[in-house]
Amino acid sequence: MSLQARISLIGTKIRVEDLSNDLHDLLTDDADWNANYWDFDLNRVRHFVLKVSAIYSNSTEGITFAAIWPPDDVEKTESVSFEQLSEYFLSNHIGTRTKYIVKKARLT
């Protein structure tokens, strides 16, 4: 088993490019799926955030993101801005069982 990056476009059932291998490779030797947060190599995580940013930027309504180690599944859902999600990555606060909903503001 390995870490899965689950990224979906909001408003569709479409999953986007599978970045699971990229994300799994960022785990440190201290990463523990029983911990509250994943432990990523902070020197390398910015490149992954740029990939997620491109997916978010090209989405119509936003994205959902979860980093899950099967057979675990999502236990908590949190609505955040893309800036918050980026900060979670850059401070090792991506939850081990959390799905993040990152919606774009609707123009009226």
Side-chain angles (χ1 to χ4, degrees):
M1 291 275 151
S2 65
L3 186 62
Q4 289 183 351
R6 298 181 185 171
I7 306 173
S8 297
L9 302 176
I10 293 175
T12 71
K13 294 194 181 227
I14 298 171
R15 279 203 177 171
V16 297
E17 175 187 2
D18 187 359
L19 300 178
S20 296
N21 288 336
D22 295 0
L23 188 60
H24 183 87
D25 288 347
L26 296 175
L27 290 172
T28 68
D29 291 339
D30 295 328
D32 178 2
W33 56 85
N34 291 314
N36 290 326
Y37 304 105
W38 291 112
D39 192 15
F40 296 116
D41 178 346
L42 295 179
N43 293 321
R44 296 174 41 225
V45 78
R46 288 184 190 279
H47 185 69
F48 185 82
V49 173
L50 290 175
K51 289 182 178 185
V52 176
S53 177
I55 295 167
Y56 174 75
S57 294
N58 290 315
S59 71
T60 303
E61 296 182 43
I63 62 171
T64 64
F65 175 84
I68 303 295
W69 192 282
D72 291 343
D73 207 353
V74 172
E75 293 179 359
K76 177 177 145 184
T77 301
E78 185 176 335
S79 292
V80 297
S81 67
F82 190 80
E83 292 75 19
Q84 287 171 303
L85 182 66
S86 297
E87 184 56 36
Y88 286 170
F89 269 108
L90 299 175
S91 63
N92 270 334
H93 277 85
I94 294 293
T96 54
R97 292 175 189 84
T98 303
K99 177 173 150 179
Y100 299 94
I101 300 171
V102 190
K103 291 184 179 180
K104 288 188 169 180
R106 291 185 182 232
L107 300 176
T108 55

